[in-house]
Amino acid sequence: MATARDARKRRALAALILVDLFEEEGQKNAAQLELEDEVAYTDYIRVHGQKFRFLVDSVGYAIKKKDTLTRESIRPDERIAVTLGCLATGETFKSLEYSFRISRTCISSIVVETCQAILDILGPRYLNTPFSQDEWKCVAQRFESRWNFPNRIGTLDGKRILIQQPQNSGSRYYDYKDVGAKNGRASGGGVWQRSDLKSLLSSEANPLNLPDPRPIPGRVIPVPYVLTGDDVFALTDYLLKPYPQSKMTVEERIFNYRLSQMRRISENGFGILTSRWRILCTPILLELGKVKHIVLAALTLHNLSRGRAIKTQIEQAKLESGVQVEELAEGSAGVETQQATADEKITYSSEKLIQINYKASLQVKKCEKELAERD
């Protein structure tokens, strides 16, 4: 009669046979996919080859391990590829174990360490807030030219990150509305009330260095620069929300229409973010501190892939010098080339959105004309 020890021996033998078959038949794994199909590999890790090399050059020294007499360490490029594969697919460590031929225990430490290094090294550059009044004005000018909403510097929305409930936390991390939110019944407005950004915007010292209020076109009274949000946020001097839906005047309908265009930007942004980094759509079964590092690293990589930091530096250089800047002194030529491509895609997407809303804009302009004639 077979014993448990015999069963374990058979499973171990079957695993060794499978490994031999994989090697003999040349089954594709992540490393082979990189060599045989670069396009598919880029789609798998969500980062182009040139920016992947930029990542290796920037972060590799911080995650490199020493070789020993008995084994060679996992190279930095493999560590970054494993991390990108985890963030891009949202797969479990056990699933990634068969793709990269690395144990799940090692993958768990690789992902967390690499995300921490990405956040520490690239976070200050690709995950930052505008730091000068000229930069804030540049952001407001772009929103006004694209969406006809002056003095607007951003929009607010929320994204829920699913996590494993920590031990001995009771109902603190149980969301009665959906799946996961800290402090139970916390809504987007409640989270905003406790955020650091709200505290900075509310401070009279103006730590964010926002520009002074200025009149909007056709008016003489100075108006502050504002954010836009939906009904869950409280109305303040720096945050606009839509009018209630009942008994609205024509002017209020026009205002809500303009405001809805602004809110859609944040919704589209979260949609692009989650479609690129699927780990944000799946429960993250790690500790809270590790979850924070993974989420912030995904945001940093998202901005890197879309060239946000380089774009901001080019615009800042144009504002300061008054001349057109073709490229930056720092960074590789490949990254700059990818930045130009990313800018073209962003501009194309914006133009398509404007075309889609062209008819609605005509109706709004017609209402505005009727109001002017009525006055």
Side-chain angles (χ1 to χ4, degrees):
M1 184 175 181
T3 62
R5 179 178 298 179
D6 295 334
R8 287 195 296 269
K9 289 182 178 179
R10 287 197 299 270
R11 286 196 296 268
L13 180 60
L16 292 175
I17 294 174
L18 286 176
V19 170
D20 293 337
L21 289 175
F22 290 160
E23 294 178 355
E24 292 175 2
E25 298 176 3
Q27 179 173 341
K28 290 184 179 180
N29 57 13
Q32 294 169 337
L33 184 63
E34 179 184 10
L35 297 175
E36 299 177 10
D37 193 342
E38 184 178 356
V39 176
Y41 187 72
T42 300
D43 183 64
Y44 180 65
I45 65 174
R46 303 295 197 273
V47 175
H48 192 271
Q50 294 173 338
K51 290 192 176 181
F52 179 79
R53 288 189 289 273
F54 172 76
L55 267 176
V56 175
D57 295 338
S58 302
V59 183
Y61 73 92
I63 59 176
K64 181 177 176 58
K65 305 298 181 179
K66 292 183 178 181
D67 297 334
T68 65
L69 296 176
T70 58
R71 63 168 179 80
E72 294 182 355
S73 63
I74 301 175
R75 302 193 311 271
D77 58 336
E78 292 180 345
R79 291 174 173 269
I80 293 176
V82 169
T83 303
L84 292 176
C86 178
L87 299 181
T89 62
E91 295 181 358
T92 62
F93 296 152
K94 183 177 179 61
S95 177
L96 293 172
E97 179 180 19
Y98 300 107
S99 298
F100 291 93
R101 310 285 179 85
I102 301 174
S103 68
R104 73 194 76 172
T105 304
C106 190
I107 288 179
S108 64
S109 62
I110 286 175
V111 171
V112 175
E113 291 175 3
T114 306
C115 287
Q116 179 66 59
I118 290 173
L119 182 60
D120 293 340
I121 297 173
L122 299 179
R125 180 180 179 186
Y126 291 94
L127 196 64
N128 55 9
T129 305
F131 55 89
S132 66
Q133 293 190 4
D134 290 336
E135 205 167 42
W136 284 113
K137 290 178 181 178
C138 179
V139 173
Q141 180 60 37
R142 292 175 60 197
F143 278 120
E144 182 175 0
S145 61
R146 292 185 181 183
W147 305 106
N148 195 20
F149 201 105
N151 287 25
R152 188 257 184 172
I153 56 175
T155 187
L156 294 178
D157 205 345
K159 172 69 179 74
R160 296 179 182 270
I161 305 298
L162 309 183
I163 64 172
Q164 184 179 28
Q165 184 181 14
Q167 295 181 356
N168 302 323
S169 61
S171 61
R172 186 181 182 187
Y173 290 90
Y174 183 84
D175 186 0
Y176 295 90
K177 176 181 178 182
D178 198 358
V179 179
K182 187 176 180 179
N183 297 326
R185 298 177 177 82
S187 62
V191 174
W192 165 248
Q193 290 294 329
R194 298 187 298 272
S195 66
D196 295 335
L197 179 59
K198 180 183 181 300
S199 301
L200 295 175
L201 290 170
S202 304
S203 175
E204 296 182 356
N206 191 19
L208 294 178
N209 200 21
L210 294 175
D212 296 330
R214 71 176 182 90
I216 61 177
R219 299 292 188 270
V220 295
I221 300 177
V223 177
Y225 288 82
V226 297
L227 301 171
T228 57
D230 53 21
D231 294 328
V232 302
F233 301 105
L235 180 66
T236 61
D237 294 338
Y238 51 82
L239 177 60
L240 296 182
K241 59 183 295 185
Y243 284 100
Q245 296 295 321
S246 60
K247 299 180 181 180
M248 287 191 300
T249 63
V250 177
E251 296 90 337
E252 292 172 349
R253 290 182 181 274
I254 294 175
F255 176 82
N256 281 4
Y257 168 75
R258 298 294 187 192
L259 206 64
S260 67
Q261 287 185 319
M262 301 299 100
R263 299 203 313 272
R264 187 179 59 192
I265 296 175
S266 61
E267 295 172 358
N268 293 344
F270 279 126
I272 296 172
L273 176 68
T274 54
S275 64
R276 182 183 292 260
W277 309 105
R278 301 302 296 175
I279 194 172
L280 301 179
C281 299
T282 59
I284 306 177
L285 308 180
L286 294 173
E287 301 174 0
L288 289 179
K290 297 178 181 179
V291 171
K292 181 180 179 181
H293 295 157
I294 288 175
V295 172
L296 293 179
L299 293 174
T300 303
L301 292 171
H302 185 71
N303 289 343
L304 168 64
S305 63
R306 298 180 69 86
R308 294 303 189 189
I310 298 177
K311 185 178 180 66
T312 302
Q313 292 180 26
I314 291 176
E315 291 175 349
Q316 181 67 18
K318 289 180 180 179
L319 288 172
E320 292 177 355
S321 62
V323 297
Q324 185 170 357
V325 178
E326 298 296 337
E327 61 181 9
L328 295 176
E330 60 179 351
S332 64
V335 175
E336 292 162 0
T337 303
Q338 287 302 113
Q339 167 59 27
T341 305
D343 290 344
E344 293 175 359
K345 292 181 178 180
I346 295 171
T347 303
Y348 174 76
S349 301
S350 301
E351 292 175 353
K352 293 295 291 182
L353 290 174
I354 293 174
Q355 292 174 4
I356 293 173
N357 292 279
Y358 178 68
K359 293 183 179 180
S361 300
L362 290 179
Q363 295 177 358
V364 172
K365 290 181 179 179
K366 183 178 179 181
C367 294
E368 292 175 345
K369 183 177 179 181
E370 292 177 357
L371 289 173
E373 294 177 352
R374 189 183 306 173
D375 294 339

